[in-house]
Amino acid sequence: MNKKLLVSALFLALAPMLASAGETIHVYPVPGIFFDEGADNQKGVASKISPEIGKVLKANIRQNVGYAGQAIAKNFSNLTQQIDAKNRYRTLAVSVQVTRASRFEVNKKDGTRDIYLPLTLSLYFSNPLTGEVLQSFNQTRVTTFTSTPDTIAAKISQYTQQSFERTLDELLTHAASQFKPYVVEATVKETWKGYGILDKGYAAGIGKDDILLDAGGNEIKIEHAGQDYAVATPIGGKISSGGRYARTSMMKLSDVKKPRVLVVVSDGNADIPDAVMSQLFADQLGADAQFAVLPLNANYGKVQAAIDSNTQIGSAVSGQRELPDYFIRLVVPDVVEYEKPTNLAYKTQRHYKSWAFAELLAKNGQVLFARYADEGLQDVVTNGIGIAAADRHEVVLKNVLVELAEKFSKEVKFKHSTLEITDAENGQLWVDDTAQVLQPGQAVRIYREISKDVLVPTWEARVEAREGRRIALRAQLEIAGSPPAPSKGDKLLIDQINTPAGGAMRLAYCPNPKSQVGSQFVPRYDELAYAVAAQTGFNMVNRSLKGLVERRVGSASGFKANIKLPEAAFDQCLESLYRIDPVDSPCEGDACSTRYKVKTAFRQKQGDTVSQQMILEHTFKTSGYQQNIDSTQLGQLQRAELYEDVGELLKQTAKNLFQTK
């Protein structure tokens, strides 16, 4: 890290910080309004900012930056207009981001148009020295107005500006009520083999992967945290007894001990930005969740560049922030919407169907927990007047994310296990694992107990094979310093999800390019089949996690550059096929339905050889619809109901295959 100030000056600047944890933490408003238009590393993420609305906001950028500065000053009394050597260790940067700015319109019979302008703003609190995003908030406002075509442009400009200011006011009011930063200070009470043992642990707010700084701007990374101690390694230097380090945190003390998780949207939709879906999911988890979600700002690189160019911060971000041990991958497809006529000419029924899937993954792609949820809404439309479709899309998507979050909060239970090395020879290690905690290919850490109840992580190891309860591992890489070789009596600390392991056979979902056999196409069938299989109980691994994280997360998000995750190791492929053919469309009077013959299959394959398979079929009939239904609406109805039926048949198919193992 390039230092621009003398160490002695830095020590004098930091000394008050180390002396008094109660000193005020300042807030620095980052000059600028940042637009979530897809960061360089966010390939495949569609912007939710329409060029038209974005143009209005950018045309007023000076006005909006000024308004944001005034609004932040109104809500935060501890404001500073500069970050320099004197205050940089006690200053957090706050940045405003436009996450969504869209436009929808509905033509009315009288020639006017109803205009809908959804606007979402995000607020991020960041540590400008470490690149860590500490807390984030989102606020959405949908402005509606009716206009004639000739006045739409002027009104859009007017209402967009009003919406920006009101949304920002609401966002800052909420954020200020939740703003409770604190300083964690710790001293190195002893060193061992290049590690530092701190006198504070998770009870004081220090957790694994946290970065702390000393008076000279030197950084240490926390490798392990006990209740009242922590084990740290230096970043680009040495660590000495008596060294004093600190960091600013906003994480609740009750969350510090919990495993940390990064939520990444794999497959999003056209209605809600990825950042908002991740935030909504995290917010709904609540205090009872056994893991803590880390905020992610895909545009953090732009924020940091603005900080560097507008302040005298005196050092560059080291870029040493590590990825957490766990990820949640979200799949939230587009809402399917259709409208059905009724027996009253002036009334119709409008339906909205949504589904979502989330899985908890380890770094090696192992699926630890997975759940699928679906939601629906139905409105009555009279003379073409009903609740705006854009509003209902948002409601049904939020409902399905809330349902998913509730399942994760209630059902994910981490079980902390300790295993002991029974034999060690030339890097080959063995442990007894009667509870089947470990899986082949899994990366683990080896710990040495250097004194009573003080464990130091010494080596990375990988599980090679299982023979009954006996597990073979091989040490691969030292964590830091010069630790002794692993030996009998060293320990493995494992966080296990309290669910059945699903057997030793590791399966990866391998899409078949010819999965559709019949005449009826099911969009996103493979995502649905994978979601069903992942929550059935198979020992699944996700091959896509590595590429997903490397594309979406990195230095632009405040984490280490050139992030590399291990390739997901697996034993066999799991693939799924389907066949859907229409049988007939019987009608009784004006009421009709469509019948289909539906068949789904799961099969396990070793190369080109099928080792096991399960096929189920049945006949499915859609709900009733009027004979005069629009063909496009009928297609959407059939798509939505077939999708739901295929999902149910897939569940039974997967369950039957799982039970035959």
Side-chain angles (χ1 to χ4, degrees):
M1 182 167 63
N2 178 30
K3 305 294 179 184
K4 298 180 182 177
L5 299 175
L6 293 175
V7 171
S8 58
L10 286 169
F11 182 81
L12 292 173
L14 187 59
M17 171 183 135
L18 296 174
S20 173
E23 198 170 306
T24 300
I25 296 172
H26 299 284
V27 172
Y28 170 73
V30 181
I33 305 296
F34 303 90
F35 290 79
D36 191 0
E37 296 171 309
D40 293 338
N41 65 319
Q42 289 260 302
K43 295 176 182 177
V45 179
S47 172
K48 299 297 190 299
I49 301 174
S50 74
E52 176 189 21
I53 309 302
K55 184 178 180 181
V56 172
L57 291 170
K58 290 173 182 177
N60 298 334
I61 194 69
R62 289 191 177 182
Q63 176 183 344
N64 289 335
V65 170
Y67 187 88
Q70 294 172 7
I72 292 171
K74 187 190 304 181
N75 286 277
F76 297 91
S77 58
N78 50 336
L79 212 66
T80 179
Q81 296 300 327
Q82 182 58 263
I83 306 178
D84 53 28
K86 294 181 179 180
N87 69 1
R88 61 183 182 152
Y89 293 97
R90 283 187 172 276
T91 299
L92 297 179
V94 58
S95 57
V96 177
Q97 186 164 299
V98 180
T99 309
R100 170 177 53 171
S102 306
R103 166 190 171 177
F104 304 98
E105 64 180 57
V106 177
N107 294 324
K108 301 176 72 175
K109 293 181 179 179
D110 62 1
T112 61
R113 298 178 190 174
D114 286 338
I115 308 297
Y116 300 84
L117 302 176
L119 177 70
T120 300
L121 299 182
S122 299
L123 197 72
Y124 293 95
F125 290 94
S126 310
N127 185 326
L129 295 179
T130 64
E132 181 182 10
V133 179
L134 301 175
Q135 200 166 17
S136 62
F137 301 92
N138 290 303
Q139 185 70 36
T140 294
R141 168 181 286 268
V142 181
T143 301
T144 62
F145 63 90
T146 301
S147 177
T148 55
D150 59 318
T151 60
I152 286 179
K155 286 190 174 182
I156 283 179
S157 180
Q158 172 192 348
Y159 284 114
T160 294
Q161 186 59 33
Q162 288 181 4
S163 179
F164 174 85
E165 295 175 3
R166 292 174 183 175
T167 305
L168 184 59
D169 287 341
E170 294 170 1
L171 177 62
L172 287 167
T173 299
H174 175 64
S177 70
Q178 303 296 312
F179 185 68
K180 299 174 183 178
Y182 58 92
V183 173
V184 185
E185 301 172 1
T187 300
V188 180
K189 61 183 182 180
E190 64 176 303
T191 60
W192 181 82
K193 307 294 184 182
Y195 296 81
I197 313 302
L198 306 184
D199 63 351
K200 300 276 189 0
Y202 61 74
I206 296 177
K208 184 178 180 295
D209 294 332
D210 285 345
I211 293 176
L212 285 72
L213 299 97
D214 72 359
N218 300 302
E219 297 178 339
I220 58 173
K221 182 169 77 75
I222 304 301
E223 301 289 352
H224 171 67
Q227 179 172 324
D228 298 311
Y229 77 94
V231 180
T233 56
I235 297 175
K238 292 198 306 182
I239 193 165
S240 303
S241 293
R244 304 169 70 189
Y245 295 85
R247 75 184 297 267
T248 301
S249 179
M250 295 177 71
M251 181 176 283
K252 295 178 182 177
L253 286 177
S254 59
D255 286 343
V256 174
K257 182 183 178 182
K258 297 176 180 177
R260 300 180 187 184
V261 176
L262 202 61
V263 178
V264 185
V265 178
S266 169
D267 299 273
N269 60 73
D271 295 291
I272 298 184
D274 291 359
V276 176
M277 286 190 285
S278 299
Q279 184 81 50
L280 180 64
F281 180 87
D283 290 346
Q284 291 298 321
L285 288 169
D288 292 336
Q290 292 197 359
F291 55 90
V293 174
L294 297 177
L296 178 67
N297 181 2
N299 289 303
Y300 182 76
K302 298 176 183 177
V303 175
Q304 189 65 47
I307 294 172
D308 292 343
S309 63
N310 287 280
T311 70
Q312 301 168 24
I313 195 169
S315 66
V317 172
S318 64
Q320 295 299 316
R321 190 183 180 199
E322 295 281 357
L323 290 173
D325 292 327
Y326 304 100
F327 300 87
I328 288 178
R329 185 180 75 100
L330 275 178
V331 177
V332 191
D334 290 340
V335 175
V336 177
E337 173 191 343
Y338 60 88
E339 198 161 335
K340 294 166 58 175
T342 68
N343 55 0
L344 299 174
Y346 60 92
K347 284 186 183 293
T348 59
Q349 290 180 345
R350 190 176 293 160
H351 295 255
Y352 305 91
K353 299 279 189 179
S354 174
W355 73 276
F357 167 70
E359 59 182 339
L360 179 63
L361 301 164
K363 277 184 178 178
N364 66 347
Q366 183 183 4
V367 179
L368 305 173
F369 183 83
R371 286 295 180 266
Y372 168 101
D374 52 53
E375 285 286 338
L377 284 176
Q378 177 180 323
D379 289 335
V380 174
V381 179
T382 303
N383 290 324
I385 300 174
I387 301 175
D391 288 348
R392 304 308 269 169
H393 282 210
E394 187 141 338
V395 169
V396 74
L397 285 168
K398 286 181 176 179
N399 286 348
V400 80
L401 284 167
V402 168
E403 182 182 343
L404 266 184
E406 288 177 351
K407 291 181 177 182
F408 270 67
S409 180
K410 292 177 181 178
E411 299 179 43
V412 171
K413 304 296 180 186
F414 277 92
K415 181 180 179 181
H416 306 289
S417 303
T418 301
L419 302 178
E420 191 168 297
I421 294 177
T422 56
D423 294 288
E425 184 178 349
N426 298 325
Q428 185 71 63
L429 314 169
W430 290 268
V431 299
D432 287 336
D433 179 22
T434 55
Q436 294 195 12
V437 171
L438 301 175
Q439 299 292 335
Q442 184 175 346
V444 295
R445 282 187 162 194
I446 297 168
Y447 292 76
R448 173 69 57 91
E449 188 170 16
I450 63 169
S451 61
K452 183 174 173 55
D453 298 327
V454 174
L455 295 171
V456 176
T458 55
W459 286 79
E460 295 273 3
R462 187 165 296 276
V463 179
E464 290 190 330
R466 169 185 287 276
E467 295 179 5
R469 72 178 189 179
R470 189 170 167 82
I471 295 289
L473 307 95
R474 183 165 292 277
Q476 293 190 315
L477 185 69
E478 304 98 325
I479 301 294
S482 303
S487 63
K488 181 178 179 179
D490 284 353
K491 294 176 171 52
L492 278 63
L493 306 184
I494 310 296
D495 287 329
Q496 180 193 16
I497 302 298
N498 200 14
T499 54
M505 178 71 71
R506 295 166 299 174
L507 298 177
Y509 189 80
C510 304
N512 187 317
K514 298 181 180 179
S515 59
Q516 178 191 352
V517 179
S519 60
Q520 191 75 27
F521 172 67
V522 177
R524 303 184 75 134
Y525 174 82
D526 283 314
E527 285 96 329
L528 178 62
Y530 173 81
V532 169
Q535 67 175 6
T536 296
F538 296 104
N539 182 10
M540 298 286 293
V541 297
N542 188 317
R543 296 189 301 165
S544 71
L545 178 68
K546 173 179 167 63
L548 175 65
V549 172
E550 290 175 4
R551 288 195 310 272
R552 302 285 180 88
V553 185
S555 58
S557 304
F559 289 89
K560 289 177 82 169
N562 301 318
I563 286 172
K564 297 294 180 185
L565 291 185
E567 296 284 351
F570 62 96
D571 302 305
Q572 290 190 6
C573 277
L574 181 70
E575 67 177 21
S576 185
L577 309 173
Y578 70 99
R579 176 166 187 161
I580 304 175
D581 294 304
V583 177
D584 55 19
S585 299
C587 296
E588 294 183 8
D590 285 340
C592 303
S593 61
T594 305
R595 290 195 303 168
Y596 295 91
K597 184 174 288 186
V598 183
K599 181 184 294 186
T600 60
F602 276 111
R603 61 189 188 189
Q604 292 176 221
K605 295 178 70 175
Q606 181 77 51
D608 293 329
T609 303
V610 176
S611 61
Q612 226 177 172
Q613 71 176 4
M614 183 62 60
I615 303 171
L616 293 181
E617 66 176 301
H618 70 186
T619 300
F620 167 70
K621 184 173 75 170
T622 65
S623 63
Y625 53 85
Q626 294 292 99
Q627 197 168 19
N628 63 337
I629 189 172
D630 176 81
S631 60
T632 301
Q633 300 300 324
L634 176 59
Q636 288 291 85
L637 178 154
Q638 292 167 331
R639 171 190 167 191
E641 295 193 355
L642 270 174
Y643 208 90
E644 187 173 342
D645 177 72
V646 167
E648 291 301 317
L649 191 59
L650 277 169
K651 289 177 187 177
Q652 191 59 51
T653 309
K655 181 180 178 181
N656 288 3
L657 178 62
F658 181 74
Q659 291 174 344
T660 63
K661 292 198 289 87

